[in-house]
Amino acid sequence: MSRLVELGQLLDWYGAFLTERQRSLVRQYAFEDCSLGEIAEREGISRQAVRDAILTAETELRDMETKLNLIETNEKLRSLLHSLEGTQLNEEQTSLLRQLMELVSEE
């Protein structure tokens, strides 16, 4: 997975824990594919300040995933549910599987 895709995924899961400023900078970098220079110009700050803020936010996001493991756990759960989907299930089990699939994030 590319760094930007991973950063976007981390932002989706843990972005609420960043400041609004950090979220804005990381969102521009990861989702809008803006260069550091473009973000710096938009925000009226130096390229170095943008770089530092994004790296700090990225470190915080990665630390959260290391501690909480939500993304990895979600991916494992999705994989297990998809495996179960290919097995012979009765009506009640199929209904429960559908409900579980709706709870598991696709991100």
Side-chain angles (χ1 to χ4, degrees), residues 15 58 63 90 102 104:
E58 183 175 3
D63 286 348
N90 65 35
E102 288 174 9
V104 177

Side-chain angles (χ1 to χ4, degrees), residues 69-85:
N69 232 6
L70 297 178
I71 297 171
E72 183 179 338
T73 300
N74 187 70
E75 288 172 357
K76 286 179 182 176
L77 183 55
R78 261 194 6 242
S79 176
L80 289 170
L81 289 172
H82 284 296
S83 296
L84 186 58
E85 200 172 30

